[in-house]
Amino acid sequence: EVQLVQSGAEAKKPGESLKISCKGSGYSFNNYRIGWVRQMPGKGLEWMGIIYPADSDIRYSPSFQGQVTISVDKSISTAYLQWSSLKASDTAIYYCARSAANFFDPWGQGTLVTVSS
Amino acid sequence: EIVMTQSPATLSVFPGERATLSCRASQSVSRYLAWYQQKPGQAPRLLIYGASTRATEIPARFSGSGSGTEFTLTISSLQSEDFALYSCQQYNDWPLTFGQGTKVEIK
């Protein structure tokens, strides 16, 4: 079974750093892109960026370029999304999802990130 | 950036009725259009890709149509488990973009 399992919920303060993870299993991890999608409370889906594990090629949405960093560790079939300095407006659920042709299937269960002083 | 606009924002439907959801692109995306279903507290699930191809294990009551800038998702006879948020996504060009979603609720 193809599965993406994300790291658990995080509660952080503004200015703190954070790295969340997404581990793939049940398929050849290197051969499929992993995308990250934000969903703010009560809002729609926003594409953040996508990485190709085989060569670490990354594309970011202009809205998120410079705000987050996407990376991958092929040796453990895991993709990451990280922030160097969180803001309250980063409070959201973050999903990773596998992509063969730039649509997404399946999705991870989501990681809730809460940023509050 | 291609802007995806979904209508209506909320659709109230009786169980067993047909639901028709619209997704419009600000410029042509050919047939590079996907639909997702998201139930409360759950991750999105792929329903349709390539504008009209059902994903694995998606029931036949879900169908997609359209090309260019106008797309439709039709649910032929709504079941209780179909009340959810539906989002479209274009993958014709970077950046990838989603619509804001249509919530299908019980009338």
Side-chain angles (χ1 to χ4, degrees):
Chain A
E1 177 195 8
V2 176
Q3 204 170 8
L4 296 175
V5 177
Q6 298 185 229
S7 49
E10 301 275 0
K12 292 291 197 178
K13 291 182 171 19
E16 291 186 331
S17 62
L18 176 64
K19 192 173 189 177
I20 63 175
S21 66
C22 169
K23 183 174 176 60
S25 63
Y27 72 100
S28 178
F29 183 79
N30 285 1
N31 293 345
Y32 292 82
R33 291 187 169 102
I34 296 286
W36 288 95
V37 176
R38 182 175 79 174
Q39 188 167 40
M40 299 178 77
K43 301 298 185 181
L45 304 170
E46 300 173 88
W47 176 69
M48 302 175 71
I50 197 165
I51 187 166
Y52 186 48
D55 61 9
S56 294
D57 180 59
I58 305 171
R59 281 187 180 268
Y60 290 99
S61 165
S63 299
F64 292 93
Q65 179 89 46
Q67 308 304 307
V68 297
T69 301
I70 294 171
S71 60
V72 69
D73 185 339
K74 293 187 292 186
S75 69
I76 55 172
S77 301
T78 300
Y80 301 95
L81 178 67
Q82 68 181 88
W83 296 259
S84 59
S85 180
L86 286 160
K87 302 184 283 287
S89 57
D90 293 318
T91 294
I93 297 174
Y94 293 87
Y95 293 101
C96 66
R98 190 184 76 162
S99 172
N102 296 329
F103 56 88
F104 300 107
D105 180 50
W107 294 59
Q109 84 276 19
T111 296
L112 173 63
V113 174
T114 304
V115 185
S116 174
S117 55
Chain B
E1 170 175 321
I2 298 174
V3 177
M4 307 301 293
T5 303
Q6 293 186 240
S7 60
T10 304
L11 184 62
S12 299
V13 185
F14 287 109
E17 284 192 333
R18 173 188 294 259
T20 302
L21 289 67
S22 175
C23 175
R24 174 176 294 178
S26 60
Q27 63 191 76
S28 177
V29 299
S30 185
R31 292 181 62 82
Y32 295 107
L33 192 284
W35 289 95
Y36 302 89
Q37 177 194 66
Q38 186 179 21
K39 298 178 183 178
Q42 295 186 17
R45 176 176 72 147
L46 177 69
L47 294 177
I48 301 282
Y49 62 93
S52 61
T53 302
R54 277 190 303 277
T56 304
E57 298 184 359
I58 299 303
R61 64 180 181 273
F62 292 93
S63 62
S65 63
S67 65
T69 62
E70 300 282 345
F71 299 88
T72 300
L73 175 69
T74 301
I75 312 171
S76 59
S77 176
L78 272 154
Q79 307 298 302
S80 57
E81 62 267 27
D82 300 335
F83 292 95
L85 178 71
Y86 292 85
S87 301
C88 61
Q89 178 228 331
Q90 68 80 20
Y91 53 100
N92 181 69
D93 198 9
W94 305 103
L96 309 179
T97 47
F98 289 90
Q100 80 282 12
T102 290
K103 180 182 178 182
V104 177
E105 63 178 25
I106 299 174
K107 192 169 185 178

